[in-house]
Amino acid sequence: MAIFPQTRTAPPPSAAVRRPAALRHFGPNWYATVMGTAIVASAGVALPVHVPGLRVACALVWVLSAVLLAAVLAARAGHWAAHRDQARAHLLDPAVAPFYGCLSMALLAVGGSGMVVGRDVIGHQAALTLDVVLFTAGTLTGLAAAVAVPYLMIVRHRPEPGTASPVWLLPVVAPMVSAALGPLLVPELPEGQWREALLLACYAMFGMSLLATLVILPLVFARLVHRGPLPLVLTPTLFLVLGPLGQSTTAVNALADVAPGAIRAPYASALGAFAVLYGVPVMGFALLWLALSAGLVVRAVRGGMTFAMTWWGFTFPVGTCVTGAAGLARHTGLAAFGWLAAALYVLLVAAWAVAAARTLRGLLGGALLAPPQGAAPVTTGAV
């Protein structure tokens, strides 16, 4: 008699165990799905060429990115609540900790995309309010990650010489995303001190991220030259190098757009010239790195590379090159930059479609939430 009521009122033991366990290996790398989706929307409306129906499609993609952000934030909160030991282990794992920079970039990407295309869905005032909240939260978390993750690398991780990874760029590139999206809020501030303060703060974050990138990038290239190609599952992370390159080009062009209303004339015109003088050479290097990375990815595919969450590295970094090329098209008037932006956008959409489809398949099948096997990093989730 006592056993029967218990079997009716208690939840199934297997379900009670399975639900918390499903989030145990839900790492911060999942924010890349949000970033990669939001950039499809914002890059699409930045194109200097007109495509019928593209803006409507981008608005729908932005809605999807906002839903994804809410879902991933909830899942990560559940991860920290139910698996705090694993969350701490992620922070102490040099392969996982850099992905904490993705939280900042996911918040910033959805907020910024909301200002350029999400307003078509929710209105300008709601989009502005959302962007202020997400930009503030994203910038603060990005600055924290840019300090905390390198600190952990020095004090706790202590990686071996010659093991530098493009993933190391993730926490330090987050302030560059703030620098690129901050200009959306500059015209919304009162004229005078407030506008100039935000403008120069964005330039400060631009410099912070750029100089940190210039420190890390030689380590990454030296690792490739001296130790050969990355492991197959990590090969897509080579595309992460495009992030600071494309995003910095986007930043200087976006800041030049709003400079005339925020800072005195001599500086405003100089910042417009700087956008071109900086952006064109950096875009050239980005195309060089894109070609090199694509060649190594083709080699990895021939070697048996299968899908992993690292494939999301094909999305956001390429999207920043789209917005960077579009900015150069505005400031130079060259049609070539417009067509470059369009070609890169086609690549972005194709990469996003493949990554999204394979992620959904792996999520439904459970492979992406399964414990890592062997020596594979916990962030890969290969299927």
Side-chain angles (χ1 to χ4, degrees), residues 311-329:
W311 282 33
W312 282 96
F314 296 135
T315 57
F316 190 80
V318 174
T320 66
C321 292
V322 174
T323 54
L328 289 174

Side-chain angles (χ1 to χ4, degrees), residues 250-267:
T250 301
V252 293
N253 281 277
L255 288 165
D257 288 337
V258 298
I263 200 168
R264 294 189 300 275
Y267 298 106

Side-chain angles (χ1 to χ4, degrees), residues 48-49 329 334-344:
V49 294
L334 283 179
F337 282 118
W339 289 111
L340 173 61
L344 290 172

Side-chain angles (χ1 to χ4, degrees), residues 133-324:
V133 172
L134 294 183
F135 179 81
T136 303
T139 298
L140 292 177
T141 55
L143 292 173
V147 175
V149 175
Y151 175 84
L152 288 174
M153 292 174 67
I154 295 169
V155 175
R156 300 297 298 271
H157 299 164
R158 305 296 293 272
E160 294 294 324
T163 60
S165 165
V167 172
W168 290 9
L169 292 168
L170 289 173
V172 301
V173 78
M176 187 67 80
V177 180
S178 292
L181 297 178
L184 293 171
L185 295 176
V186 170
E188 305 292 339
L189 293 173
E191 293 184 11
Q193 290 284 314
W194 285 102
R195 287 188 183 182
E196 185 173 355
L198 180 55
L199 181 79
L200 295 183
C202 288
Y203 273 108
M205 290 186 287
F206 163 84
M208 177 193 310
S209 181
L210 177 63
L211 294 176
T213 298
L214 294 178
V215 170
I216 295 173
L217 189 53
L219 301 178
V220 174
F221 188 72
R223 183 250 175 92
L224 294 173
V225 171
H226 293 296
R227 296 205 172 192
L230 296 175
L232 296 182
V233 73
L234 295 179
T235 301
T237 65
L238 290 170
F239 273 64
L240 296 180
V241 174
L242 296 175
L245 302 176
Q247 198 66 276
S248 62
T249 304
T250 301
V252 293
N253 281 277
L255 288 165
D257 288 337
V258 298
I263 200 168
R264 294 189 300 275
Y267 298 106
S269 59
L271 293 177
F274 177 68
V276 176
L277 295 177
Y278 172 88
V280 173
V282 171
M283 184 57 63
F285 180 70
L287 294 177
L288 170 65
W289 192 269
L290 175 62
L292 175 63
S293 301
L296 290 170
V297 167
V298 170
R299 178 184 180 277
V301 170
R302 290 177 175 175
M305 182 181 74
T306 57
F307 174 74
M309 286 296 289
T310 52
W311 282 33
W312 282 96
F314 296 135
T315 57
F316 190 80
V318 174
T320 66
C321 292
V322 174
T323 54

